[in-house]
């Protein structure tokens, strides 16, 4: 199974960033994209994020994202110049919409995919994030990829029962389609929730003592570099 | 799990927290599915809250049936607000998530989180959250357009969007969203009765 948060202790890439630094980067990156004054600046931001991805060892994701981002920019530029008016607004606004949220999604994807569950939890413990938010957040990040996996299974099962999981099928037979999507999805979700909670209780998630972690969680040179670089990028916004 | 509940007497057990996490993930996916159809189009963008309210209703209802405790909806609101901010949505939306989640908590709390009608009302309140990202259009239109155009929204999009945003749109949007939320919640309630209670999940 492809999971977002890594479980293994397998190390890759040159950089290994502390989860706390990652939070900072995510926040600063988000604010920077928010405030970005021009498209050139947004592209610089995207390039920075992709480079960070390569340094962190997320090669395939970074390359995929680069191709996609370039495609979106191309669509926007070409569409702006050549498309007739009606389609232009539709296509170009969609491209802009994607472009605007893309850097944040890329950054989030890269940072989350290089974080291990245990590392994340103990780092968050150190900054005293309340457990009531930490546990759901962690579970959520772990569960996301499973949703898409479930969806594939459900689609197959629907085909077997001759219910079409497409928009057309929905129009033809709304009640049944909706039921055939929601029921298995929610059912498996609640089952997984039960299993996951039992597993995590067995492994001592309720231990009130401070969490220990095999992985050393410290502020390294890589953290300092990233922090300074992203802060500088944010500072640049105010001077451009 | 009864010993576990006693171990952490106040509030939620680990099982509850894990359940809220899993359902928050589903809720986010449902919001995306509902939103992606309408949000990028300048005229249809106003339908986003409706679609989201309709699609995510069953998820919310099952969550509140599975974790009938103080804090479940609040955590959902906080986590969703965090995610919306991280994915670069308008910041008022994130705040709307947290504030409306608090209100929904209060409403559901009157019935000790087990009263179906109050839960539905709570959901209707909660589902008004995407309007948070449009409300500036009526409160301070100039600041909002400046903010969005500076963020890269094209002028043509803004013009079309503003042309659609008449004064009567806001109340209509609130009422229709509430209706859709009601529909979504009733759908959820039906599924609960028909499937989940029988299977012993809810």
């Amino acid at each position: 199974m492809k999971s977002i948060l890594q479980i293994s202790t397998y190390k890759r890439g040159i950089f290994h960033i502390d989860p706390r630094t990652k939070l900072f980067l995510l926040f600063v990156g988000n604010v920077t994209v928010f405030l970005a004054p021009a498209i050139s600046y947004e592209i610089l931001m995207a390039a920075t994020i992709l480079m960070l991805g390569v340094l962190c060892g997320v090669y395939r994701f970074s390359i995929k994202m680069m191709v996609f981002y370039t495609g979106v920019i191309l669509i926007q530029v070409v569409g702006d110049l050549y498309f007739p008016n009606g389609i232009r607004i539709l296509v170009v606004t969609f491209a802009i919409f994607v472009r605007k949220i893309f850097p944040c999604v890329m950054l989030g994807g890269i940072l989350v995919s290089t974080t291990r569950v245990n590392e994340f939890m103990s780092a968050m413990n150190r900054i005293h994030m309340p457990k009531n938010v930490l546990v759901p957040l962690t579970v959520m990040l772990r569960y996301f990829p499973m949703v898409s996996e479930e969806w594939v299974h459900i689609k197959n099962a629907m085909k077997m029962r001759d219910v079409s999981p497409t928009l057309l099928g929905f129009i033809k037979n709304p009640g049944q389609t909706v039921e055939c999507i929601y029921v298995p999805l929610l059912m498996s979700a609640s089952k997984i929730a039960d299993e996951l909670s039992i597993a995590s209780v067995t492994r001592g998630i309720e231990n009130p003592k401070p969490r220990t972690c095999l992985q050393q969680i410290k502020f390294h040179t890589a953290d300092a570099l990233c922090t300074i670089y992203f802060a500088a990028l944010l500072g640049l916004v105010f001077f451009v | 799990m009864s010993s576990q509940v006693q171990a952490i007497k106040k509030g939620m057990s680990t099982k509850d927290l894990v359940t809220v996490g899993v359902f928050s993930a589903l809720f986010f996916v449902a919001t995306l599915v509902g939103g992606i159809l309408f949000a990028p189009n300048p005229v249809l963008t106003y339908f986003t809250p409706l679609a989201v309210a309709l699609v995510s209703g069953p998820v919310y209802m099952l969550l509140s049936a599975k974790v009938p405790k103080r804090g479940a909806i609040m955590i959902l609101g906080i986590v969703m607000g965090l995610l919306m901010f991280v994915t670069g949505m308008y910041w008022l939306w994130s705040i709307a998530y947290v504030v409306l989640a608090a209100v929904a908590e209060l409403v559901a709390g009157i019935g000790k989180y087990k009263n179906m009608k109050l839960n539905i009302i709570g959901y209707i309140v909660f589902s008004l959250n995407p309007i948070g990202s449009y409300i500036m259009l009526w409160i301070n239109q100039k600041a909002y357009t400046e903010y969005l155009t500076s963020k890269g929204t094209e002028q043509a999009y803004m013009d079309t969007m503003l042309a659609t945003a008449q004064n009567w749109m806001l109340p209509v949007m609130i009422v229709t969203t509430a209706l859709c939320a009601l529909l979504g919640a009733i759908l959820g309630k039906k599924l609960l009765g028909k499937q989940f209670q029988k299977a012993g999940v809810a």
Side-chain angles (χ1 to χ4, degrees):
Chain A
M1 191 192 79
K2 191 182 141 233
S3 84
I4 298 190
L5 285 179
Q6 299 286 307
I7 316 169
S8 68
T9 46
Y10 174 60
K11 216 172 186 171
R12 44 180 192 173
I14 312 162
F15 269 30
H16 191 78
I17 310 173
D18 188 292
R20 288 166 289 182
T21 317
K22 283 178 182 166
L23 270 191
F24 175 78
L25 293 188
L26 210 52
F27 183 74
V28 170
N30 216 328
V31 172
T32 313
V33 174
F34 244 48
L35 298 172
I39 184 167
S40 53
Y41 201 89
E42 268 178 52
I43 294 176
L44 171 70
M45 199 62 204
T48 304
I49 291 166
L50 287 172
M51 219 155 73
L52 183 73
V54 172
L55 283 174
C56 287
V58 200
Y59 306 115
R60 273 181 65 190
F61 181 77
S62 302
I63 290 168
K64 250 197 272 178
M65 290 292 122
M66 193 179 80
V67 171
F68 196 77
Y69 189 75
T70 322
V72 168
I73 299 257
L74 271 182
I75 288 175
Q76 192 200 327
V77 172
V78 171
D80 216 8
L81 289 178
Y82 299 112
F83 283 4
N85 219 348
I87 307 171
R88 194 178 66 104
I89 289 183
L90 211 73
V91 173
V92 171
T93 49
F94 186 72
I96 291 175
F97 186 79
V98 174
R99 196 197 78 208
K100 267 192 311 187
I101 59 172
F102 217 65
C104 300
V105 174
M106 278 195 297
L107 187 60
I110 289 167
L111 294 184
V112 171
S113 67
T114 52
T115 312
R116 286 171 212 114
V117 173
N118 58 350
E119 198 189 5
F120 179 73
M121 285 200 80
S122 37
M124 291 304 109
N125 249 329
R126 293 236 190 121
I127 59 168
H128 302 288
M129 192 186 231
K131 209 173 174 180
N132 280 0
V133 177
L134 176 57
V135 173
L137 202 62
T138 317
V139 170
M140 187 176 181
L141 292 176
R142 276 286 282 123
Y143 187 67
F144 268 133
M146 283 159 95
V147 175
S148 63
E149 204 177 306
E150 289 295 334
W151 173 237
V152 174
H153 293 322
I154 290 170
K155 246 184 358 199
N156 285 338
M158 278 169 91
K159 274 182 205 146
M160 248 161 68
R161 272 190 56 186
D162 215 17
V163 186
S164 168
T166 55
L167 202 62
L168 193 72
F170 176 74
I171 292 164
K172 256 197 245 163
N173 207 345
Q176 202 188 11
T177 316
V178 164
E179 212 176 315
C180 286
I181 293 173
Y182 274 120
V183 172
L185 201 61
L186 294 176
M187 203 72 99
S188 80
S190 51
K191 240 182 219 151
I192 286 170
D194 289 349
E195 283 164 13
L196 216 55
S197 57
I198 292 168
S200 50
V201 169
T202 321
R203 290 174 196 182
I205 202 173
E206 290 179 334
N207 189 353
K209 289 258 164 68
R211 224 186 133 82
T212 54
C213 184
L214 203 61
Q215 174 89 36
Q216 243 196 352
I217 295 171
K218 252 170 71 183
F219 200 71
H220 294 287
T221 331
D223 296 300
L225 279 177
C226 292
T227 310
I228 292 169
Y229 188 69
F230 269 73
L233 268 183
L234 178 59
L236 200 63
V237 174
F238 296 107
F239 290 108
V240 171
Chain B
M1 288 288 146
S2 63
S3 64
Q4 196 184 309
V5 176
Q6 277 162 2
I8 313 171
K9 265 184 193 157
K10 269 173 76 186
M12 324 242 296
S13 67
T14 305
K15 191 183 170 210
D16 296 332
L17 293 178
V18 172
T19 312
V20 173
V22 166
F23 279 86
S24 303
L26 275 187
F27 198 89
F28 184 71
V29 171
T31 306
L32 274 190
V33 169
I36 203 79
L37 289 173
F38 298 112
N41 187 295
V43 179
L44 292 178
T45 184
Y46 298 105
F47 290 112
T48 314
L50 278 67
V52 171
L54 196 61
V55 172
S56 52
V59 182
Y60 182 99
M61 291 315 286
L62 187 59
L63 172 64
S64 55
K66 271 189 81 85
V67 190
K69 284 184 187 169
R70 206 178 77 203
I73 304 309
M74 196 65 232
I75 292 173
L76 175 69
I78 291 173
V79 170
M80 288 295 296
L82 275 177
L83 274 184
M84 281 304 159
F85 182 72
V86 165
T87 46
M89 297 298 164
Y90 189 58
W91 54 270
L92 256 179
W93 193 356
S94 299
I95 292 172
Y97 260 119
V98 178
V99 172
L100 291 175
V103 178
E105 274 274 358
L106 285 178
V107 173
I110 298 170
K112 298 235 162 17
Y113 305 96
K114 284 188 176 141
N115 186 324
M116 190 61 96
K117 273 187 194 134
L118 285 171
N119 280 351
I120 290 178
I121 294 173
Y123 175 63
I124 291 172
V125 172
F126 184 66
S127 69
L128 294 177
N129 63 65
I131 293 177
S133 68
Y134 302 106
I135 197 110
M136 278 303 265
L137 213 52
W138 286 276
I139 297 174
N140 190 345
Q141 199 175 82
K142 202 159 155 263
Y144 186 69
T145 41
E146 267 168 18
Y147 172 81
L148 278 187
T149 4
S150 74
K151 250 184 93 178
T153 307
E154 206 195 334
Q155 197 58 47
Y157 182 97
M158 279 322 298
D159 293 343
T160 323
M161 193 170 158
L162 292 178
T164 326
Q166 303 299 330
N167 275 334
W168 52 267
M169 275 291 284
L170 183 63
V172 167
M173 200 151 81
I174 291 176
V175 171
T176 44
T177 306
L179 276 178
C180 279
L182 183 66
L183 263 174
I186 288 173
L187 177 71
K189 192 184 153 211
K190 273 216 173 114
L191 288 180
L192 273 182
K194 191 176 166 194
Q195 305 274 359
F196 294 106
Q197 273 159 8
K198 261 189 223 160
V201 196

